[in-house]
Each structure stands twice: as structure tokens, then as C-alpha cells.
Amino acid sequence: MNRKGIANFCQKSINFGFYSITLFSAISISATQIALSIILLSWIALMLVEKRIIFARIPLNYPFLIYFCIVIIAALLGADFSHSAKAIHKFWIAMIFFAMLTFIEDIRMVRRLIYILLIVTSITSIYGVLQHIFPGLDIARPEGRKVVQWTAEGGVASTGFFDHHMTFGGFLLLIFSLSFSLSLSRVQQIIKNKQFFPLHTTLPTILIFAGLISSMTRNAWMGSIFAVIFIVILKVKRKIIAFSVIGSIFLFLTAYCLLPTAYSLQSPFLNRFKSIFTISTNIERFYIWKSTIDMIIEHPLGVGMDNYSKAIKDYRGKYNHKFSAGSDAHAHNTILTQAAEHGIVGLSAFLWIWIIFFKEGVRLYLSLLHTPHSTLRTSIVLGGLGAVAGFHVAGMFENNFGDAEVATMMWFIMGLVFLMRKINPNNTDYNLKLNNL
């Protein structure tokens, strides 16, 4: 096989890896990571064959590189460098973002990837709903290893094919936001053209929403609510925003008037939602956050990646509270976890990544609004922005950035957003190019 043949084989292997990620991300983290390994190995092989560095040049390159360097420095200065060194490899899942921007150039491929993702996630969501209805349903694990998670408010928290209901909910939050944006765009077209309303355009959104509810994951619910509001506000015309605000106020007042009645109901879903606003239910989170802040004050440079659970023990003793098992894994807040492990400087670099992402993403969205025949691109960008925004809102109550399954999909959706700049033929702002070094 000549060099050209090897290069073509590597490109096909990379494409195969992308399709495999969308196929398995909702089912198996192991299969997803194997697919990512295929992409990275094929990428390296392609660079060796072509004897050049192949890497997309994007605004996030330097922020992420600086953040990664600070993570390493914090690990060197942290509580246990050897332990942190073993954990740093977890950042490799971010390479899916850079791989997408380096190799995907066809909007048709993007469309196929999204379709596969929506179909598989819809099926997984149905399975999650069935898990909630039939406690103990777990076809992915043998007897003795089946996962059944009951909430304190009653009802089964569905896990899908994941090990924890928060992972399931966090994953569905991201896909739901993207699907909602695509469905909203389609609905607007149908109303504008007075077409018959086809169910298949909204069915994945409905199914994924049902799976999200069955996960009983409160932080994912909060993130989804924020994502929907974010998408609707940017999607509708400005003159409609006033009506939306008035409608929201009306719904709030109605809910407030009905609150006494609502509190008398005993639905597991309602009880779970009400617990979001119950201090006694969330008191442990406040103790966790307070003890984490105490640790950050004494360790402004961070304790090193994955050293949180080792260092936090010294700061919990002064609180007269019996912490639940496993509550010391992280700060149950992405921002606090970043500051605790990587220091204030590391947190600043971390926030820099998202400031650049949203700055470029919103600018891209506004430019696409004035670009002909860009409905799909616009919906993908808006859905991706809403998904990542919802991800960070959920991260106020959980360290979802440290959840491999959820973070992998987050990086994938970020890639979809930036791809719409690369694929946009009318873009004159800047082009994503391959560096030949």
C-alpha cells in the first residue's frame, strides 16, 4: 500500500471512529473510548505518513494548552503528585473536540452523526423510562451487579446503560438541548409554511425529555430548564421576548398560588423537584462547599488533580455533620473543584476556555442569522451553546466536568458548534486551517 492508500485508510478509520462515538456514547464508555483511540492512533499514523503536523487552528488552542500546563504545575505542587500524574490522562477525551475540527469538513457527515446520536439516545431514553416503571430492569448487567438507585423522595432514578443516574441525566441534558433547538427550528418552519406537523421532527426530543425526567437528576433538570430558556430567548425575535417575560411572570404567579396544593401531592417526580428548594435536603452540599472554600483559602495553588478527597478530610471535622459515603470525591460543584485541585490560576484558565467558547459561539450564531440557507447550522450552534450553558448550570451542583461519559459528549457538542464556522462557506472572519510545520 502506497502513502496515498495509507492516508486514505487513516481518514476512513477516523471517520469510522466518529460514527462509532455517536453510536456507543449512550451505551458504553469503553466502546466510546476505543473509538476515540482509533481516531487518535489513525491521526498519529496520518501525520507520520504525511510527515507534517496536522492540527486545526482555533481560538481555544492556547486557552486549553495553558489550562493543561497549569494542571500539571498544580499536580507538581500538590498533595500527591504520583496520584495526580495517573489522573491527568483523563483529559485525553478533550481530543475528540480537536479531532472533529481537524478532520470533519462535510455538513452531510455532521447531519448523519447527529441523526445517529438522536436515534440511539432516544432508544436509551425509552429504556430509562422502563427502568423507572419496572424497578430492577437492567439488561446490561448480570444478577448481583444490577444497578437500582432509589431516591430519598421515592421512585427509581433511571441509570440507562450508565452506572449512575447523574451520569444518565447529565448526558441526556446535553442531547436534549441540541434536539430541542433542532425541533424548535423545524416547528418554526412548519408554522411559517403552514405545513402538516410531522411527529418525527419532535419525537426524539420528547423521548429524551422523558428519559431525562426518569433519571431523577435534579442538577440536570435545572440545567435543562436553563438551556431551554437560553435557546428560546436567542431563537425568537426581540419583540417576542417581552411576551415571553410576561408569560413567565404569569406562570410564576400561577405556580405560587397553587404551591400549597402542589405540596400536598405525593408524586416522586414532584417530591424530587420540591427537594431542590428544601434546605434540609441540601444541607450537606452547603457543608461540602464551605469546607472546600476553607481548603481553597489555605491552598490557593491547588492540591493537585484528583487529590480533593485526600485533602478535604482535614476541613470537614469542624462541622457537626455526618457526611454520606462518597461525598468526599469532589466538591459537588465544578468551579469549586477546579479551584481546589488546580488553584485560583487554574480556575482562571478554566474559565478562559468557556469565555472564548461562548464569545465565539454567540458571534457565530449572530453571523449565521444573516446567512442564507443556514437553518441547520444555526440550530446546531444554538443547541450546542444551550447544551454547554446547561452543562455549566448543572455543574453548580455536581462536578460533571469530571464525569467521563458526560464530558465526552460535552466536548463532542462543542466540536459541532465550532464546525459550523469551519463548514460555513461564507465565513470571512477566519478559517480553520491545518498547520504545516
Side-chain angles (χ1 to χ4, degrees):
M1 185 181 295
N2 56 26
R3 288 179 57 185
K4 185 177 180 180
I6 296 175
N8 289 335
F9 176 77
C10 290
Q11 183 64 61
K12 291 180 179 179
S13 297
I14 290 171
N15 291 342
F16 171 77
F18 287 132
Y19 285 117
S20 298
I21 286 175
T22 57
L23 182 62
F24 292 111
S25 58
I27 301 174
S28 170
I29 184 60
S30 297
T32 303
Q33 293 184 341
I34 290 173
L36 181 55
S37 299
I38 292 174
I39 293 174
L40 298 182
L41 291 174
S42 301
W43 189 353
I44 294 172
L46 184 60
M47 289 192 289
L48 293 175
V49 169
E50 298 194 0
K51 298 180 180 179
R52 64 190 180 101
I53 300 297
I54 303 176
F55 204 89
R57 187 172 61 199
I58 58 174
L60 284 180
N61 284 359
Y62 288 118
F64 187 82
L65 178 61
I66 292 173
Y67 170 67
F68 185 70
C69 290
I70 293 174
V71 168
I72 295 176
I73 294 173
L76 288 169
L77 302 175
D80 188 344
F81 172 70
S82 61
H83 183 73
S84 295
K86 296 176 182 177
I88 287 177
H89 75 278
K90 295 178 181 180
F91 282 116
W92 81 298
I93 59 176
M95 292 305 297
I96 186 175
F97 169 74
F98 298 100
M100 292 173 67
L101 295 173
T102 302
F103 293 105
I104 298 179
E105 299 179 346
D106 186 1
I107 190 65
R108 293 172 298 180
M109 181 176 179
V110 173
R111 187 183 292 111
R112 288 192 293 266
L113 290 173
I114 292 176
Y115 285 163
I116 294 173
L117 185 61
L118 293 181
I119 292 172
V120 175
T121 308
S122 297
I123 295 173
T124 306
S125 297
I126 295 174
Y127 175 56
V129 173
L130 293 176
Q131 283 183 319
H132 182 81
I133 298 174
F134 304 103
L137 177 62
D138 191 348
I139 63 176
R141 300 172 183 84
E143 289 292 340
R145 295 182 57 192
K146 294 183 180 296
V147 177
V148 182
Q149 296 180 349
W150 292 84
T151 66
E153 297 76 24
V156 173
S158 302
T159 60
F161 292 99
F162 300 113
D163 292 330
H164 201 282
H165 72 100
M166 288 189 182
T167 301
F168 186 47
F171 182 89
L172 293 185
L173 153 64
L174 294 166
I175 312 302
F176 169 74
S177 302
L178 178 62
S179 181
F180 176 78
S181 178
L182 294 170
S183 298
L184 184 61
S185 176
R186 182 58 178 156
V187 168
Q188 285 184 320
Q189 286 183 326
I190 291 170
I191 295 175
K192 181 178 179 180
N193 299 326
K194 298 181 180 180
Q195 299 174 346
F196 174 72
F197 187 78
L199 186 60
H200 72 273
T201 59
T202 56
L203 184 57
T205 304
I206 295 172
L207 293 176
I208 295 170
F209 177 75
L212 178 61
I213 295 300
S214 70
S215 73
M216 306 291 276
T217 306
R218 296 175 297 177
N219 65 76
W221 291 354
M222 297 294 288
S224 299
I225 292 172
F226 184 86
V228 168
I229 295 173
F230 180 93
I231 292 170
V232 170
I233 288 178
L234 288 182
K235 190 73 175 178
V236 300
K237 296 179 179 179
R238 292 183 178 179
K239 64 182 181 180
I240 303 178
I241 294 180
F243 295 102
S244 300
V245 172
I246 294 174
S248 299
I249 295 174
F250 174 78
L251 291 175
F252 174 80
L253 292 175
T254 303
Y256 182 81
C257 294
L258 295 177
L259 196 59
T261 304
Y263 264 82
S264 67
L265 301 177
Q266 295 301 318
S267 165
F269 296 111
L270 183 58
N271 290 338
R272 186 67 170 167
F273 184 79
K274 289 188 296 185
S275 69
I276 297 175
F277 310 99
T278 305
I279 295 179
S280 60
T281 306
N282 301 289
I283 191 65
E284 182 168 280
R285 293 288 174 92
F286 293 111
Y287 284 129
I288 292 173
W289 294 340
K290 182 62 174 65
S291 59
T292 302
I293 293 173
D294 293 339
M295 184 170 71
I296 293 171
I297 292 174
E298 289 196 16
H299 298 274
L301 298 179
V303 297
M305 186 170 182
D306 262 22
N307 285 332
Y308 177 89
S309 58
K310 294 183 177 182
I312 196 61
K313 295 178 181 179
D314 297 333
Y315 301 90
R316 290 190 172 194
K318 61 182 179 180
Y319 297 108
N320 186 23
H321 177 78
K322 184 178 180 181
F323 291 91
S324 59
S327 64
D328 60 348
H330 48 73
H332 293 271
N333 179 290
T334 298
I335 299 299
L336 289 179
T337 302
Q338 290 293 317
E341 294 190 345
H342 311 313
I344 302 301
V345 178
L347 173 62
S348 300
F350 179 78
L351 295 176
W352 185 21
I353 293 175
W354 307 113
I355 290 172
I356 296 297
F357 171 76
F358 283 106
K359 174 186 173 182
E360 296 296 329
V362 171
R363 189 166 70 174
L364 172 60
Y365 172 73
L366 295 177
S367 67
L368 287 175
L369 288 177
H370 305 288
T371 303
H373 310 296
S374 62
T375 303
L376 176 61
R377 295 188 182 95
T378 305
S379 300
I380 292 174
V381 171
L382 182 56
L385 289 171
V388 178
F391 170 85
H392 285 294
V393 170
M396 294 173 63
F397 312 99
E398 178 66 15
N399 181 35
N400 49 5
F401 188 76
D403 195 327
E405 293 93 335
V406 179
T408 299
M409 183 48 55
M410 184 270 299
W411 288 113
F412 181 86
I413 289 181
M414 284 179 63
L416 290 178
V417 172
F418 270 60
L419 271 175
M420 296 305 101
R421 182 184 293 276
K422 175 183 179 181
I423 294 176
N424 181 8
N426 297 316
N427 175 43
T428 57
D429 189 9
Y430 67 84
N431 295 315
L432 297 173
K433 300 177 180 178
L434 299 182
N435 293 329
N436 293 312
L437 302 178

